[in-house]
């Protein structure tokens, strides 16, 4: 028993570190499955016929939006990433530019870099305010939002239903005094432009044809291609660290035990 005592504390420390590494690896595998589910849902959404909001029982004023992972939908509810169509009229001079960074498309010609998602409120036929992400607008040389006109008259918007965004740990705080916004939260945007309570979701408007004039609408297939899914690589890295740790401890323990037997 005495020869094993000399590696007891190093062994316990190794077990704790091993448990942490395995936990991180398993967490990355779970994230991989979640990401695959989200990408699968988005792929299905862009190929499905759009559901018309304000018809088919989906009244905007009472529509509930559930996360992609939700398994149960009741009443007037749709899942996030559902493809939808909505009729209404844009509220002019009330757009909110939300800061965003996008990679330039590999196809070329598509705007990328530092800029803004151009969020414009739409007043629907049943009087509800729904923010529409009309697309990406590159920032000017002064890093300020450029002037973007708002289409007038009745509009028909087709796009992807999205839940309100939440700030992440490293997301900068909004600065309403300077007109700087970093998350697409309809409630915050509505207060910024003095509008009443909006729908608690927004819509990423689809790109129409080869529209390259900002704001450039969302190309869902391109959006899918831009979403990274590197969790398997991360999981393999953590598991490799775990195997390496076991190997290092094995050599260490063998050496210590052999040394104690020789003394």
């Amino acid at each position: 028993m005495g020869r094993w005592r000399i590696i007891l504390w190093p062994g316990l420390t190794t077990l704790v570190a091993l448990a942490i590494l395995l936990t991180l690896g398993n967490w990355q595998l779970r994230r991989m499955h979640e990401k695959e589910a989200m990408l699968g849902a988005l792929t299905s959404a862009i190929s499905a016929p759009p559901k018309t909001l304000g018809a088919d029982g989906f009244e905007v004023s009472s529509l509930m939006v559930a996360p992609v992972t939700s398994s149960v939908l009741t009443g007037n509810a749709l899942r996030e990433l559902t493809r939808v169509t909505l009729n209404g009229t844009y509220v002019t001079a009330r757009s909110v530019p939300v800061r965003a960074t996008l990679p330039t498309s590999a196809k070329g010609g598509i705007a990328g870099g530092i800029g803004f998602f151009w969020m414009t409120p739409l007043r629907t036929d049943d009087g509800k305010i729904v923010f529409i992400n009309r697309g990406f607008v590159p920032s000017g040389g002064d890093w300020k939002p450029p002037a973007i006109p708002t289409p007038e008259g009745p509009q028909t918007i087709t796009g992807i239903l999205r839940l309100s965004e939440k700030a992440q740990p490293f997301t900068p705080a909004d600065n309403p005094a300077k007109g700087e916004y970093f998350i697409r939260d309809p409630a915050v945007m509505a207060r910024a432009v003095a509008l009443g309570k909006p729908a608690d979701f927004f819509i990423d408007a689809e790109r129409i044809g080869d529209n390259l004039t900002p704001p450039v609408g969302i190309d869902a297939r391109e959006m899918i291609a831009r979403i990274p899914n590197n969790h398997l690589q991360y999981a393999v890295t953590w598991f490799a660290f775990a195997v390496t740790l076991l190997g290092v401890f094995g050599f260490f323990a063998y050496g210590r035990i052999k040394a104690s037997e020789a003394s």
Side-chain angles (χ1 to χ4, degrees):
M1 179 65 182
R3 65 179 182 174
W4 298 105
R5 190 173 298 153
I6 61 176
I7 62 170
L8 176 61
W9 287 110
L12 291 175
T13 302
T14 298
L15 284 175
V16 171
L18 181 64
I20 292 173
L21 292 172
L22 292 177
T23 297
L24 289 171
N26 285 321
W27 176 71
Q28 288 293 346
L29 288 178
R30 289 196 301 272
R31 291 287 296 119
M32 179 188 71
H33 293 312
E34 291 171 357
K35 183 67 70 67
E36 288 174 346
M38 187 270 286
L39 293 175
L42 185 52
T43 301
S44 297
I46 63 173
S47 58
K51 297 183 181 298
T52 302
L53 302 188
D56 302 325
F58 298 112
E59 293 300 328
V60 178
S61 58
S62 58
L63 179 66
M64 301 294 292
V65 180
V68 174
T69 54
S70 176
S71 59
V72 178
L73 292 178
T74 59
N76 188 30
L78 291 174
R79 286 190 179 88
E80 185 182 19
L81 305 182
T82 299
R83 189 165 177 247
V84 297
T85 292
L86 179 64
N87 295 315
T89 304
Y90 282 126
V91 182
T92 58
R94 301 291 182 93
S95 293
V96 179
V98 177
R99 290 193 178 274
T101 302
L102 290 181
T104 301
S105 171
K107 300 177 183 178
I110 304 300
I114 298 174
F116 307 88
F117 285 131
W118 210 260
M119 308 297 295
T120 302
L122 182 86
R123 193 178 303 280
T124 68
D125 292 343
D126 65 354
K128 190 71 172 177
I129 294 295
V130 178
F131 274 90
I132 308 297
N133 175 20
R134 292 169 53 203
F136 182 75
V137 176
S139 65
D142 56 2
W143 307 106
K144 294 181 179 180
I148 299 293
T150 301
E152 298 185 0
Q155 306 291 321
T156 297
I157 309 298
T158 299
I160 303 296
L161 201 63
R162 301 297 304 274
L163 286 170
S164 171
E165 292 181 335
K166 304 299 180 185
Q168 300 302 309
F170 298 104
T171 303
D174 291 337
N175 189 340
K178 293 185 177 181
E180 294 181 339
Y181 298 91
F182 296 90
I183 60 172
R184 292 174 291 178
D185 183 335
V188 172
M189 294 186 292
R191 287 196 297 270
V193 291
L195 289 173
K197 187 179 186 307
D200 59 0
F201 58 85
F202 63 91
I203 294 173
D204 280 334
E206 290 183 354
R207 185 176 303 162
I208 301 174
D210 295 326
N211 177 18
L212 303 182
T213 302
V216 178
I218 301 299
D219 182 325
R221 289 178 176 79
E222 182 180 289
M223 182 171 65
I224 292 174
R226 285 176 168 177
I227 298 174
N229 187 8
N230 302 318
H231 298 290
L232 180 59
Q233 297 172 229
Y234 299 149
V236 170
T237 299
W238 290 120
F239 290 141
F241 284 155
V243 171
T244 301
L245 177 64
L246 285 176
V248 170
F249 176 74
F251 282 113
F252 165 80
Y254 179 78
R256 291 294 297 269
I257 291 172
K258 295 296 288 185
S260 69
E261 290 176 344
S263 60

